[in-house]
Amino acid sequence: MMNSLSKTHLLGLSLAGLLFASCSTRETVVADYQVVPMPLEITTAQQASYLLKNGAVVYYPAGNEMMRRNAEFLAAYVKEQTGLELKLQEGDGGKNGITLKLGLAGENKEGYQLKVNADGVTIAAPSEAGVFYGIQTLRKSIDVAQGANIELPAVEINDEPRFSYRGMHLDVSRHFFTVDEVKTFIDMLALHNINRFHWHLTDDQGWRIEIKKYPKLTEIGSKRSETVIGRNSGKYDGKPYGGFYTQEDAREIIAYAAERYITVIPEIDLPGHMQAALAAYPELGCTGGPYEVWRQWGISDNVLCAGNDQTIQFMKDVLAEIVDIFPSEYIHVGGDECPKTQWEKCPKCQARIKALGLKSDAKHTKEERLQSYVIHEAEEFLNEKGRRMIGWDETLEGGLAPNATVMSWRGEGGGIEAAKQKHDVIMTPNTYLYFDYYQSKDTDNEPLAIGGYLPMERVYNYEPMPKALTPEEQKYIIGVQANLWVEYIPTLKQAQYMVLPRMAALCESQWCAPENKNYEAFLQRVTRLVDIYKLKGWNYASHIFDVMLELKPNSETGTLDATARTIDNAPIYYTLDGTEPTAASQAYTGTVKIDKACTLRMVAVRPEGNSRITKDEITFSKSSMKPITMLQPINKQYEFTGATVLVDGMTGNLNYKTGRWIAFYKNDMEAVIDLKEPTEISSMTLHTAVEKGDWIFDARAISVSVSDDNKVFKEVASEKYPVMKETDPNQVYTHELKFAPVKARYVKVYAQPEHKIPSWHGGKGNPGFLFVDEIILN
C-alpha cells in the first residue's frame, strides 16, 4: 500500500506536499491515493510520476455521450479543486493526458482500474459507471490546492464495490427540500460512491409528489396548518407549511441522479403513514374523517381502509403514475408502522378479513394478515409493470409477498429472517445507520435530534453480513443503506450536519472489503475528504476533530483514569475546576488520575481554531471506582462497558444509548459492590432512565443488603414502587433508600424491572427494560 508524504489535513486547506515551483511558477502538490472509500488494491511502482498541468487533455471514446459527460465531470472537479483547466477530446488518447476507456474485463461492472505512469493516466472499466468511480478516486486523491500543479505518483489501482446496492435515504415529507437542495444531496452521494437514492415522498405530515389522477393529494395533502414545536410538546408554531414536486421536477431530479450513476427509488408509504392522503380523500379511511395533514410527529392510527375496494384502486392508480415517472427497477411501498386499531373496529375491514378467510394464529393476527393482503396487491401490480417491490421489515408480518425485497431497519432480525426465506435484503439497522440520531453524548450542545446515539466509529464498525446466516443465505444481503428522517431537521444545512462525515463511514461499509477496513486509518483519510466538503460549502459535523476521551474506573487505585487523544495529535489542555480550558491551561501529557469530585473539561488547540470543549461532571461516593460484580446478566444490546458504568462517578442524561446506562431485560438487576474494607454507610441512591415509548420503565422494587463475607447478606432497606401511569413523565428518576448506619464490606443492590408492561401501553403484557446508572453509597 502506498503512503505519500506525511500530511496535516485539518479544518483548513491541506498544507503538506508543497514541494517546488514548476516552470509555470505554480507549486506542485503530490496526490495521495489513500481515499474514502479505500480502494481494494493499490500497487505502487518505482517509476516517474505524471505531472498534471494546465491544458492536459482528457480523452474519451468517440460517440459515447456518457463517457463525454464523465470527462466533463473530471475536468470540472479538477478545476474546482486546483484551478487547472483540462481540455476534452474524443479518441483513444495518447501520451501526456488522461484516457477514459471501456473494455476492462471483469464481472463487477462498477469496478475500475486506475493506472498512472510518466506518460499519463488511464481509467478503464467494464462500464461507464465504473469509469465514474475511477474518476471519483482520482478526484479525491488530489488535494484542494488552488493554483498548484498535481504530481500523480506512478500507481496501479484495481477496485470494485462489495455491494451492488449502496443506498442513502432522505425523508422530504416531514420537511420539504427544494429541487436544487435535492440535487446537492445527490452530489454528496456521488462523492461517496453511493448509487441508490431512496426518496421518502409521502407520510402523515405531507404528500410531496404530484399525482395527476388525484390532484387533491398535493392541493390539500402537501400542506399542514402548522407544525409541533420540539418533541410533540403540545405547542405549535402557527405557521402553515408545505411544498411538493411536480412530475417534471421529479423527472429532472431522476435525470440529474442518472448522470451520476445514481438510481432514484421512490417510496409511497402504505397502508400506514397515510394521514396526509386521507386529509385529501377522507373516503379512503375507515372512519371517513374528517382528517387533517398531521401537525405532530409519530405514528397516526388513521391508515388506509383495507376493506374498501376504492382504497385498493387508489393504491394501484398512484403506483401506476409513480412507475411512469420513475424508471427504477425497485419501488418502495413502506409497509411499516401500520397500527391496526381502526381495522379491528372497521366493519369493511372485518368483512374483508372474513371474505379472504384470514385467521389469527400464534404468529400473526388476522389484521396483520390483512396488511399482508394489501402489500401483496401492491406487489402483484408492480410485478405486472415489470418492477420489484421493496418494503420495510414489517412487511414480514402476515407473510411476505413472494418477490419482495426487505429493508431491515428494526435491527437485523427482519433481514436475517427474510434472507433465510430466500428474499433479497438491504441492511439499514437503526442502531448503526439512522443518521437522525445524535452523534455526540453532549446532546445539550447539539441540534435537537430524535434521540439515540450514533457516533462515527459505530457507523464505521458496522458489518452488514450477519454471522447468523450461512454463506449461501448471506448472498441474499444485496446492500447497505443509511436513513435520514427529518422531523427535527428543517434545513439542508442541518441535514448535511447530520450525514457528513458519517456518510464517509457508511460508504466504506458499502464499498470496502471488510478485511481492508481500519478505523484509525479511515480517520486520517476522512480529514482529507473534509477539505472537499469545505470547498463545496457543505456543512459537516466536526466531532472527529474533538478530543477523544476515555474515562475508566480503576478499582486498584480507586481513581477514574482519563486518557485522551486527537485525530492528528494536536495538543490537548484541560481543567478540573469547570473553567474553560485554553492553551494556558494544564497540558495533557498522559493519563489523568481523578480521585475527587470535579468538572473535567478538555480542548484540542490548533492554529486554525480550537475543537469543541468536552465536559464531564464527576462525583465521588463510597461506591465510586470500587470492584462491582453482577449476579444477573446485563442485557447484551445495552451492556456497553459493563457493570463498572454503575460506579464510575458519572450519571447519564435521558439519552440512554450514550453508554452511561446499562439495561436489564427479562431478569432483575443484582449488583454486589466490594468496598474493599468495612465501611459505614446509611444511604443508597440509584438512578433509572424512563422512556416509555421504547418500553423502558421505572423499577418496581429496590432493596439494599450488606455482608461481611460476600456470602450471607442481610437486608437493610427496601422499597416497592407502583405501576407507571401513562401520564408519568419520561425522565431520569432518582431513588434514595436511607437506613440506620451500618458497617459492611459488601453491599448488594437489587432492582426489579417491570415484568409486565401495563394495559394502556402498546407493549402491554411484555417485559419492560430497566435502565440503571450510578449507584451512590454514603
Side-chain angles (χ1 to χ4, degrees), residues 246-258:
T246 65
Q247 295 194 0
E248 282 314 301
D249 290 338
R251 288 191 172 96
E252 186 181 328
I253 285 166
I254 291 160
Y256 189 86

PDB file of all heavy atoms in Angstrom, residues 246-258:
ATOM      1  N   THR A 246     -43.571  18.660  -8.702  1.00  0.00           N
ATOM      2  CA  THR A 246     -44.349  18.276  -9.880  1.00  0.00           C
ATOM      3  C   THR A 246     -43.701  17.029 -10.478  1.00  0.00           C
ATOM      4  O   THR A 246     -42.552  16.678 -10.160  1.00  0.00           O
ATOM      5  CB  THR A 246     -44.350  19.390 -10.929  1.00  0.00           C
ATOM      6  OG1 THR A 246     -43.004  19.554 -11.414  1.00  0.00           O
ATOM      7  CG2 THR A 246     -44.846  20.705 -10.344  1.00  0.00           C
ATOM      8  N   GLN A 247     -44.434  16.396 -11.376  1.00  0.00           N
ATOM      9  CA  GLN A 247     -43.834  15.222 -12.041  1.00  0.00           C
ATOM     10  C   GLN A 247     -42.618  15.634 -12.862  1.00  0.00           C
ATOM     11  O   GLN A 247     -41.644  14.873 -12.953  1.00  0.00           O
ATOM     12  CB  GLN A 247     -44.892  14.518 -12.896  1.00  0.00           C
ATOM     13  CG  GLN A 247     -46.015  13.937 -12.031  1.00  0.00           C
ATOM     14  CD  GLN A 247     -46.914  12.955 -12.755  1.00  0.00           C
ATOM     15  OE1 GLN A 247     -46.736  12.668 -13.948  1.00  0.00           O
ATOM     16  NE2 GLN A 247     -47.882  12.413 -12.034  1.00  0.00           N
ATOM     17  N   GLU A 248     -42.642  16.849 -13.405  1.00  0.00           N
ATOM     18  CA  GLU A 248     -41.469  17.341 -14.149  1.00  0.00           C
ATOM     19  C   GLU A 248     -40.281  17.557 -13.208  1.00  0.00           C
ATOM     20  O   GLU A 248     -39.142  17.261 -13.576  1.00  0.00           O
ATOM     21  CB  GLU A 248     -41.815  18.636 -14.889  1.00  0.00           C
ATOM     22  CG  GLU A 248     -42.602  18.415 -16.174  1.00  0.00           C
ATOM     23  CD  GLU A 248     -42.006  17.302 -17.042  1.00  0.00           C
ATOM     24  OE1 GLU A 248     -40.828  17.421 -17.442  1.00  0.00           O
ATOM     25  OE2 GLU A 248     -42.704  16.299 -17.295  1.00  0.00           O
ATOM     26  N   ASP A 249     -40.535  18.094 -12.009  1.00  0.00           N
ATOM     27  CA  ASP A 249     -39.463  18.239 -11.007  1.00  0.00           C
ATOM     28  C   ASP A 249     -38.821  16.885 -10.731  1.00  0.00           C
ATOM     29  O   ASP A 249     -37.587  16.753 -10.683  1.00  0.00           O
ATOM     30  CB  ASP A 249     -40.020  18.770  -9.674  1.00  0.00           C
ATOM     31  CG  ASP A 249     -40.460  20.219  -9.742  1.00  0.00           C
ATOM     32  OD1 ASP A 249     -39.997  20.949 -10.627  1.00  0.00           O
ATOM     33  OD2 ASP A 249     -41.273  20.611  -8.870  1.00  0.00           O
ATOM     34  N   ALA A 250     -39.672  15.882 -10.519  1.00  0.00           N
ATOM     35  CA  ALA A 250     -39.159  14.543 -10.197  1.00  0.00           C
ATOM     36  C   ALA A 250     -38.305  14.010 -11.345  1.00  0.00           C
ATOM     37  O   ALA A 250     -37.223  13.454 -11.117  1.00  0.00           O
ATOM     38  CB  ALA A 250     -40.319  13.603  -9.901  1.00  0.00           C
ATOM     39  N   ARG A 251     -38.781  14.213 -12.578  1.00  0.00           N
ATOM     40  CA  ARG A 251     -38.009  13.719 -13.734  1.00  0.00           C
ATOM     41  C   ARG A 251     -36.661  14.449 -13.849  1.00  0.00           C
ATOM     42  O   ARG A 251     -35.660  13.850 -14.232  1.00  0.00           O
ATOM     43  CB  ARG A 251     -38.836  13.877 -15.016  1.00  0.00           C
ATOM     44  CG  ARG A 251     -39.995  12.896 -15.106  1.00  0.00           C
ATOM     45  CD  ARG A 251     -40.651  12.875 -16.490  1.00  0.00           C
ATOM     46  NE  ARG A 251     -41.620  11.790 -16.554  1.00  0.00           N
ATOM     47  CZ  ARG A 251     -42.926  11.922 -16.337  1.00  0.00           C
ATOM     48  NH1 ARG A 251     -43.424  13.126 -16.063  1.00  0.00           N
ATOM     49  NH2 ARG A 251     -43.731  10.881 -16.410  1.00  0.00           N
ATOM     50  N   GLU A 252     -36.659  15.718 -13.503  1.00  0.00           N
ATOM     51  CA  GLU A 252     -35.407  16.492 -13.536  1.00  0.00           C
ATOM     52  C   GLU A 252     -34.402  15.919 -12.520  1.00  0.00           C
ATOM     53  O   GLU A 252     -33.205  15.775 -12.809  1.00  0.00           O
ATOM     54  CB  GLU A 252     -35.721  17.958 -13.203  1.00  0.00           C
ATOM     55  CG  GLU A 252     -34.536  18.899 -13.342  1.00  0.00           C
ATOM     56  CD  GLU A 252     -34.912  20.336 -12.972  1.00  0.00           C
ATOM     57  OE1 GLU A 252     -36.076  20.736 -13.187  1.00  0.00           O
ATOM     58  OE2 GLU A 252     -34.025  21.049 -12.460  1.00  0.00           O
ATOM     59  N   ILE A 253     -34.891  15.587 -11.349  1.00  0.00           N
ATOM     60  CA  ILE A 253     -34.026  15.012 -10.304  1.00  0.00           C
ATOM     61  C   ILE A 253     -33.551  13.621 -10.707  1.00  0.00           C
ATOM     62  O   ILE A 253     -32.378  13.264 -10.524  1.00  0.00           O
ATOM     63  CB  ILE A 253     -34.775  15.007  -8.953  1.00  0.00           C
ATOM     64  CG1 ILE A 253     -34.808  16.444  -8.388  1.00  0.00           C
ATOM     65  CG2 ILE A 253     -34.136  14.046  -7.960  1.00  0.00           C
ATOM     66  CD1 ILE A 253     -35.777  16.660  -7.258  1.00  0.00           C
ATOM     67  N   ILE A 254     -34.452  12.836 -11.298  1.00  0.00           N
ATOM     68  CA  ILE A 254     -34.082  11.481 -11.761  1.00  0.00           C
ATOM     69  C   ILE A 254     -32.957  11.573 -12.799  1.00  0.00           C
ATOM     70  O   ILE A 254     -31.984  10.815 -12.748  1.00  0.00           O
ATOM     71  CB  ILE A 254     -35.322  10.761 -12.352  1.00  0.00           C
ATOM     72  CG1 ILE A 254     -36.321  10.428 -11.241  1.00  0.00           C
ATOM     73  CG2 ILE A 254     -34.912   9.492 -13.105  1.00  0.00           C
ATOM     74  CD1 ILE A 254     -37.732  10.167 -11.760  1.00  0.00           C
ATOM     75  N   ALA A 255     -33.089  12.509 -13.740  1.00  0.00           N
ATOM     76  CA  ALA A 255     -32.070  12.669 -14.795  1.00  0.00           C
ATOM     77  C   ALA A 255     -30.746  13.138 -14.195  1.00  0.00           C
ATOM     78  O   ALA A 255     -29.671  12.649 -14.587  1.00  0.00           O
ATOM     79  CB  ALA A 255     -32.562  13.671 -15.844  1.00  0.00           C
ATOM     80  N   TYR A 256     -30.816  14.062 -13.249  1.00  0.00           N
ATOM     81  CA  TYR A 256     -29.604  14.582 -12.598  1.00  0.00           C
ATOM     82  C   TYR A 256     -28.866  13.450 -11.878  1.00  0.00           C
ATOM     83  O   TYR A 256     -27.638  13.322 -11.965  1.00  0.00           O
ATOM     84  CB  TYR A 256     -29.998  15.679 -11.609  1.00  0.00           C
ATOM     85  CG  TYR A 256     -28.833  16.448 -11.015  1.00  0.00           C
ATOM     86  CD1 TYR A 256     -28.291  17.549 -11.673  1.00  0.00           C
ATOM     87  CD2 TYR A 256     -28.283  16.080  -9.791  1.00  0.00           C
ATOM     88  CE1 TYR A 256     -27.233  18.263 -11.131  1.00  0.00           C
ATOM     89  CE2 TYR A 256     -27.223  16.783  -9.241  1.00  0.00           C
ATOM     90  CZ  TYR A 256     -26.703  17.878  -9.913  1.00  0.00           C
ATOM     91  OH  TYR A 256     -25.647  18.572  -9.366  1.00  0.00           O
ATOM     92  N   ALA A 257     -29.644  12.610 -11.180  1.00  0.00           N
ATOM     93  CA  ALA A 257     -29.036  11.473 -10.472  1.00  0.00           C
ATOM     94  C   ALA A 257     -28.449  10.464 -11.455  1.00  0.00           C
ATOM     95  O   ALA A 257     -27.342   9.950 -11.247  1.00  0.00           O
ATOM     96  CB  ALA A 257     -30.086  10.808  -9.577  1.00  0.00           C
ATOM     97  N   ALA A 258     -29.184  10.196 -12.536  1.00  0.00           N
ATOM     98  CA  ALA A 258     -28.734   9.193 -13.514  1.00  0.00           C
ATOM     99  C   ALA A 258     -27.399   9.582 -14.136  1.00  0.00           C
ATOM    100  O   ALA A 258     -26.549   8.720 -14.410  1.00  0.00           O
ATOM    101  CB  ALA A 258     -29.791   9.003 -14.593  1.00  0.00           C
TER     102      ALA A 258
END
